[in-house]
Amino acid sequence: MKRVLIFGATGACGSDAVQSSLAKGWQVTAFARTPDKLEHSHPNLKVVQGDTLDPEAVDSVLAEKPDAVICALGRGIHRDPCTKISSSTQHILDAMQRHGVKRFVGITSLGVGDSKVGSISGRLFQRFALKESIADKERQEAHVRE
């Protein structure tokens, strides 16, 4: 049976990843700051409370050596500079390397990397309303590429 670890399991994308993984019969570990927000319960679901900004918490859950990691971290629309997503992703990648976990799926954002194309109104929205979120997601993708 496949074992998957999902970071950001309480958000929209993470919740869908939990549901889809369970539907495939996989064992799922959902890592969440606020586990009470998780809307799923299932015999193959293990919920771990923790913060991805805490490298020890991330290392501890990755010590279980899942077959794959899904990173669905998000921060919504905020205009303030932040490195939460990119820093968290670096902690995840570092722990994966220490524990020999090879498969990583990262969900970033529209407006990052190859998805920068789009309508003029979409690009303006990305440039102004999502500027800081996109900058953090771009740093996240750079960590993954490294």
Side-chain angles (χ1 to χ4, degrees), residues 10-140:
T10 61
C13 291
S15 182
D16 285 348
V18 168
Q19 188 174 13
S20 175
S21 298
L22 290 170
K24 291 178 180 179
W26 298 349
Q27 288 183 334
V28 176
T29 300
F31 188 91
R33 247 181 333 175
T34 314
D36 295 344
K37 291 182 180 178
L38 197 64
E39 297 177 359
H40 305 284
S41 95
H42 192 280
N44 287 343
L45 177 63
K46 174 183 174 183
V47 180
V48 174
Q49 194 276 329
D51 190 329
T52 53
L53 290 173
D54 177 357
E56 290 177 9
V58 171
D59 190 76
S60 176
V61 74
L62 273 155
E64 297 176 9
K65 297 188 179 186
D67 297 308
V69 170
I70 296 173
C71 180
L73 298 172
R75 66 177 230 139
I77 298 174
H78 297 283
R79 297 187 69 126
D80 57 312
C82 179
T83 61
K84 179 182 187 272
I85 305 300
S86 54
S87 296
S88 294
T89 300
Q90 189 64 63
H91 297 319
I92 293 166
L93 295 170
D94 290 346
M96 286 177 67
Q97 189 170 28
R98 274 192 298 280
H99 295 290
V101 178
K102 303 277 186 209
R103 291 181 178 94
F104 176 87
V105 175
I107 301 167
T108 62
S109 176
L110 180 66
V112 176
D114 293 341
S115 68
K116 285 185 180 179
V117 297
S119 68
I120 290 174
S121 61
R123 287 193 309 255
L124 287 173
F125 179 72
Q126 292 167 6
R127 184 177 207 176
F128 294 105
L130 300 177
K131 178 181 176 184
E132 296 301 332
S133 293
I134 286 175
D136 195 20
K137 294 284 190 167
E138 286 175 341
R139 285 187 293 274
Q140 177 190 32

